[in-house]
Amino acid sequence: MNIDFDKGEGLVPAIIQDSSTLRVLMLGYMNREAYDKTVQTGLVTFYSRSRKCLWTKGETSGNYLKLVDIKVDCDNDTLLVKAVPQGPVCHTGSDTCWGETNEASPLLFLSELSDFIECRHHEMPEGSYTTSLFRDGLNRMAQKVGEEALELVIEATNGSDERLVYEGSDMLYHLIVLLTSKGLRIEDLARELQERHNPNWKKH
């Protein structure tokens, strides 16, 4: 990785981002030594401009930042560091240095679930319900979506909100399985809805 440490007199800004929630957690600075130590140890390490020394985030509090990935920007003078926080990041006890709560949107799990179902489709492990759906074939998968949709309608008209959410989750899971079998993902539906949200969208 080509990082221009000379431009900032030996230092480059390092933007720390939660690898799961994608929320920006903090900003620190790295010199070449801090960068090398981060890569070698897997724990995000900075250079303290006030103390003039290296410091690994969490070495005092235990709230380490476990490295996932590092990218350099187009000018080679700023780093984007994706990490897994082991607790609050800010010295104030806040999740981020901007006082924000670092919580993942449940919507992000749909993409994670799609990844999981794709793995099932590729590996086809024995004893997996998802595997059995793929083995039963397209017609069975489509039938299951229809069955779950009917149960959703029943709960919507004559059931409780709790059961409505339960049956809706069943339908969505089986829909993702069906999409996976066709080489599609839940994001394809999201993109379609996004296009429809455009005022200039016209029905096909």
Side-chain angles (χ1 to χ4, degrees), residues 30-53:
M30 290 185 182
N31 60 7
R32 170 64 69 180
E33 189 179 359
Y35 169 81
D36 289 342
K37 186 174 180 180
T38 296
V39 173
Q40 291 166 6
T41 65
L43 299 176
V44 178
T45 299
F46 301 102
Y47 179 81
S48 172
R49 294 172 297 168
S50 59
R51 290 180 288 156
K52 309 298 182 185
C53 65

mmCIF file of all heavy atoms in Angstrom, residues 30-53:
data_model
loop_
_atom_site.group_PDB
_atom_site.id
_atom_site.type_symbol
_atom_site.label_atom_id
_atom_site.label_comp_id
_atom_site.label_asym_id
_atom_site.label_seq_id
_atom_site.Cartn_x
_atom_site.Cartn_y
_atom_site.Cartn_z
ATOM 1 N N MET A 30 -1.745 8.339 12.284
ATOM 2 C CA MET A 30 -0.753 7.277 12.244
ATOM 3 C C MET A 30 0.500 7.768 11.544
ATOM 4 O O MET A 30 0.422 8.509 10.551
ATOM 5 C CB MET A 30 -1.274 6.057 11.473
ATOM 6 C CG MET A 30 -2.364 5.276 12.167
ATOM 7 S SD MET A 30 -2.784 3.779 11.200
ATOM 8 C CE MET A 30 -4.120 3.108 12.195
ATOM 9 N N ASN A 31 1.652 7.352 12.085
ATOM 10 C CA ASN A 31 2.894 7.456 11.329
ATOM 11 C C ASN A 31 3.207 6.065 10.780
ATOM 12 O O ASN A 31 2.416 5.132 10.959
ATOM 13 C CB ASN A 31 4.035 8.026 12.188
ATOM 14 C CG ASN A 31 4.329 7.162 13.407
ATOM 15 O OD1 ASN A 31 3.780 6.070 13.569
ATOM 16 N ND2 ASN A 31 5.199 7.660 14.277
ATOM 17 N N ARG A 32 4.327 5.918 10.119
ATOM 18 C CA ARG A 32 4.647 4.628 9.524
ATOM 19 C C ARG A 32 4.725 3.532 10.582
ATOM 20 O O ARG A 32 4.247 2.423 10.394
ATOM 21 C CB ARG A 32 5.983 4.733 8.775
ATOM 22 C CG ARG A 32 6.568 3.407 8.311
ATOM 23 C CD ARG A 32 5.687 2.702 7.294
ATOM 24 N NE ARG A 32 5.651 3.407 6.034
ATOM 25 C CZ ARG A 32 4.947 2.974 4.980
ATOM 26 N NH1 ARG A 32 4.206 1.869 5.076
ATOM 27 N NH2 ARG A 32 4.941 3.670 3.847
ATOM 28 N N GLU A 33 5.295 3.851 11.734
ATOM 29 C CA GLU A 33 5.449 2.858 12.793
ATOM 30 C C GLU A 33 4.099 2.420 13.349
ATOM 31 O O GLU A 33 3.874 1.230 13.604
ATOM 32 C CB GLU A 33 6.313 3.441 13.913
ATOM 33 C CG GLU A 33 6.720 2.422 14.959
ATOM 34 C CD GLU A 33 7.594 3.019 16.035
ATOM 35 O OE1 GLU A 33 7.904 4.237 15.960
ATOM 36 O OE2 GLU A 33 7.969 2.285 16.975
ATOM 37 N N ALA A 34 3.192 3.383 13.518
ATOM 38 C CA ALA A 34 1.853 3.050 14.033
ATOM 39 C C ALA A 34 1.092 2.189 13.032
ATOM 40 O O ALA A 34 0.393 1.236 13.413
ATOM 41 C CB ALA A 34 1.072 4.328 14.331
ATOM 42 N N TYR A 35 1.245 2.523 11.755
ATOM 43 C CA TYR A 35 0.601 1.728 10.714
ATOM 44 C C TYR A 35 1.140 0.299 10.726
ATOM 45 O O TYR A 35 0.365 -0.667 10.697
ATOM 46 C CB TYR A 35 0.823 2.373 9.348
ATOM 47 C CG TYR A 35 0.417 1.490 8.201
ATOM 48 C CD1 TYR A 35 -0.923 1.387 7.820
ATOM 49 C CD2 TYR A 35 1.365 0.745 7.505
ATOM 50 C CE1 TYR A 35 -1.299 0.556 6.767
ATOM 51 C CE2 TYR A 35 0.989 -0.088 6.455
ATOM 52 C CZ TYR A 35 -0.340 -0.175 6.095
ATOM 53 O OH TYR A 35 -0.709 -1.007 5.063
ATOM 54 N N ASP A 36 2.452 0.161 10.776
ATOM 55 C CA ASP A 36 3.060 -1.168 10.766
ATOM 56 C C ASP A 36 2.616 -1.988 11.981
ATOM 57 O O ASP A 36 2.318 -3.188 11.856
ATOM 58 C CB ASP A 36 4.585 -1.057 10.749
ATOM 59 C CG ASP A 36 5.126 -0.560 9.412
ATOM 60 O OD1 ASP A 36 4.381 -0.628 8.412
ATOM 61 O OD2 ASP A 36 6.282 -0.093 9.377
ATOM 62 N N LYS A 37 2.566 -1.354 13.141
ATOM 63 C CA LYS A 37 2.160 -2.069 14.353
ATOM 64 C C LYS A 37 0.697 -2.493 14.269
ATOM 65 O O LYS A 37 0.327 -3.583 14.709
ATOM 66 C CB LYS A 37 2.387 -1.204 15.593
ATOM 67 C CG LYS A 37 2.125 -1.957 16.890
ATOM 68 C CD LYS A 37 2.485 -1.123 18.112
ATOM 69 C CE LYS A 37 2.210 -1.910 19.389
ATOM 70 N NZ LYS A 37 2.547 -1.120 20.606
ATOM 71 N N THR A 38 -0.126 -1.623 13.684
ATOM 72 C CA THR A 38 -1.542 -1.963 13.499
ATOM 73 C C THR A 38 -1.692 -3.215 12.654
ATOM 74 O O THR A 38 -2.447 -4.134 12.991
ATOM 75 C CB THR A 38 -2.292 -0.785 12.839
ATOM 76 O OG1 THR A 38 -2.272 0.348 13.719
ATOM 77 C CG2 THR A 38 -3.729 -1.150 12.531
ATOM 78 N N VAL A 39 -0.972 -3.262 11.557
ATOM 79 C CA VAL A 39 -1.042 -4.412 10.649
ATOM 80 C C VAL A 39 -0.478 -5.673 11.313
ATOM 81 O O VAL A 39 -1.048 -6.762 11.185
ATOM 82 C CB VAL A 39 -0.283 -4.102 9.342
ATOM 83 C CG1 VAL A 39 -0.198 -5.338 8.465
ATOM 84 C CG2 VAL A 39 -0.966 -2.964 8.587
ATOM 85 N N GLN A 40 0.607 -5.517 12.042
ATOM 86 C CA GLN A 40 1.272 -6.678 12.648
ATOM 87 C C GLN A 40 0.470 -7.284 13.805
ATOM 88 O O GLN A 40 0.399 -8.501 13.950
ATOM 89 C CB GLN A 40 2.664 -6.271 13.138
ATOM 90 C CG GLN A 40 3.643 -5.971 12.015
ATOM 91 C CD GLN A 40 4.884 -5.243 12.508
ATOM 92 O OE1 GLN A 40 5.082 -5.048 13.701
ATOM 93 N NE2 GLN A 40 5.739 -4.832 11.572
ATOM 94 N N THR A 41 -0.123 -6.413 14.630
ATOM 95 C CA THR A 41 -0.816 -6.894 15.836
ATOM 96 C C THR A 41 -2.305 -7.115 15.635
ATOM 97 O O THR A 41 -2.943 -7.839 16.394
ATOM 98 C CB THR A 41 -0.633 -5.907 17.000
ATOM 99 O OG1 THR A 41 -1.283 -4.662 16.673
ATOM 100 C CG2 THR A 41 0.836 -5.676 17.283
ATOM 101 N N GLY A 42 -2.882 -6.467 14.617
ATOM 102 C CA GLY A 42 -4.321 -6.548 14.420
ATOM 103 C C GLY A 42 -5.098 -5.653 15.364
ATOM 104 O O GLY A 42 -6.328 -5.721 15.420
ATOM 105 N N LEU A 43 -4.395 -4.808 16.098
ATOM 106 C CA LEU A 43 -5.024 -3.840 17.009
ATOM 107 C C LEU A 43 -4.668 -2.441 16.530
ATOM 108 O O LEU A 43 -3.485 -2.127 16.316
ATOM 109 C CB LEU A 43 -4.545 -4.048 18.447
ATOM 110 C CG LEU A 43 -4.861 -5.410 19.074
ATOM 111 C CD1 LEU A 43 -4.226 -5.501 20.458
ATOM 112 C CD2 LEU A 43 -6.368 -5.638 19.153
ATOM 113 N N VAL A 44 -5.675 -1.584 16.374
ATOM 114 C CA VAL A 44 -5.453 -0.251 15.810
ATOM 115 C C VAL A 44 -4.576 0.571 16.753
ATOM 116 O O VAL A 44 -4.872 0.722 17.938
ATOM 117 C CB VAL A 44 -6.788 0.462 15.549
ATOM 118 C CG1 VAL A 44 -6.529 1.873 15.002
ATOM 119 C CG2 VAL A 44 -7.631 -0.340 14.556
ATOM 120 N N THR A 45 -3.492 1.079 16.195
ATOM 121 C CA THR A 45 -2.507 1.849 16.954
ATOM 122 C C THR A 45 -2.311 3.209 16.293
ATOM 123 O O THR A 45 -2.263 3.307 15.060
ATOM 124 C CB THR A 45 -1.168 1.093 17.014
ATOM 125 O OG1 THR A 45 -1.375 -0.162 17.681
ATOM 126 C CG2 THR A 45 -0.112 1.888 17.760
ATOM 127 N N PHE A 46 -2.206 4.238 17.116
ATOM 128 C CA PHE A 46 -2.053 5.609 16.620
ATOM 129 C C PHE A 46 -0.737 6.206 17.096
ATOM 130 O O PHE A 46 -0.043 5.638 17.950
ATOM 131 C CB PHE A 46 -3.200 6.493 17.125
ATOM 132 C CG PHE A 46 -4.562 6.024 16.730
ATOM 133 C CD1 PHE A 46 -5.372 5.356 17.643
ATOM 134 C CD2 PHE A 46 -5.048 6.248 15.456
ATOM 135 C CE1 PHE A 46 -6.641 4.917 17.291
ATOM 136 C CE2 PHE A 46 -6.318 5.817 15.090
ATOM 137 C CZ PHE A 46 -7.106 5.152 16.011
ATOM 138 N N TYR A 47 -0.447 7.397 16.557
ATOM 139 C CA TYR A 47 0.649 8.209 17.076
ATOM 140 C C TYR A 47 0.031 9.393 17.791
ATOM 141 O O TYR A 47 -0.764 10.133 17.217
ATOM 142 C CB TYR A 47 1.561 8.695 15.957
ATOM 143 C CG TYR A 47 2.691 9.566 16.466
ATOM 144 C CD1 TYR A 47 3.831 9.001 17.022
ATOM 145 C CD2 TYR A 47 2.599 10.958 16.419
ATOM 146 C CE1 TYR A 47 4.859 9.792 17.508
ATOM 147 C CE2 TYR A 47 3.618 11.755 16.902
ATOM 148 C CZ TYR A 47 4.737 11.167 17.447
ATOM 149 O OH TYR A 47 5.747 11.952 17.935
ATOM 150 N N SER A 48 0.366 9.564 19.060
ATOM 151 C CA SER A 48 -0.159 10.669 19.851
ATOM 152 C C SER A 48 0.645 11.931 19.571
ATOM 153 O O SER A 48 1.854 11.975 19.842
ATOM 154 C CB SER A 48 -0.099 10.337 21.346
ATOM 155 O OG SER A 48 -0.432 11.479 22.117
ATOM 156 N N ARG A 49 -0.019 12.940 19.040
ATOM 157 C CA ARG A 49 0.680 14.191 18.719
ATOM 158 C C ARG A 49 1.049 14.966 19.975
ATOM 159 O O ARG A 49 2.011 15.736 19.973
ATOM 160 C CB ARG A 49 -0.202 15.056 17.810
ATOM 161 C CG ARG A 49 -0.434 14.456 16.435
ATOM 162 C CD ARG A 49 -1.456 15.249 15.645
ATOM 163 N NE ARG A 49 -2.764 15.209 16.312
ATOM 164 C CZ ARG A 49 -3.786 15.994 15.973
ATOM 165 N NH1 ARG A 49 -3.638 16.876 14.990
ATOM 166 N NH2 ARG A 49 -4.932 15.888 16.607
ATOM 167 N N SER A 50 0.288 14.772 21.051
ATOM 168 C CA SER A 50 0.585 15.498 22.291
ATOM 169 C C SER A 50 1.675 14.813 23.110
ATOM 170 O O SER A 50 2.562 15.461 23.672
ATOM 171 C CB SER A 50 -0.685 15.641 23.133
ATOM 172 O OG SER A 50 -1.226 14.355 23.441
ATOM 173 N N ARG A 51 1.633 13.470 23.160
ATOM 174 C CA ARG A 51 2.613 12.725 23.957
ATOM 175 C C ARG A 51 3.839 12.299 23.149
ATOM 176 O O ARG A 51 4.810 11.780 23.693
ATOM 177 C CB ARG A 51 1.942 11.489 24.566
ATOM 178 C CG ARG A 51 0.944 11.815 25.664
ATOM 179 C CD ARG A 51 0.311 10.547 26.219
ATOM 180 N NE ARG A 51 -0.631 9.961 25.265
ATOM 181 C CZ ARG A 51 -0.976 8.675 25.239
ATOM 182 N NH1 ARG A 51 -0.405 7.827 26.092
ATOM 183 N NH2 ARG A 51 -1.839 8.226 24.366
ATOM 184 N N LYS A 52 3.745 12.454 21.821
ATOM 185 C CA LYS A 52 4.865 12.128 20.942
ATOM 186 C C LYS A 52 5.282 10.659 21.054
ATOM 187 O O LYS A 52 6.458 10.319 21.133
ATOM 188 C CB LYS A 52 6.082 13.016 21.242
ATOM 189 C CG LYS A 52 5.814 14.499 21.280
ATOM 190 C CD LYS A 52 5.315 15.027 19.948
ATOM 191 C CE LYS A 52 5.100 16.525 20.016
ATOM 192 N NZ LYS A 52 4.505 17.062 18.759
ATOM 193 N N CYS A 53 4.268 9.777 21.056
ATOM 194 C CA CYS A 53 4.581 8.343 21.148
ATOM 195 C C CYS A 53 3.432 7.536 20.560
ATOM 196 O O CYS A 53 2.340 8.071 20.312
ATOM 197 C CB CYS A 53 4.818 7.934 22.605
ATOM 198 S SG CYS A 53 3.345 8.088 23.658
#
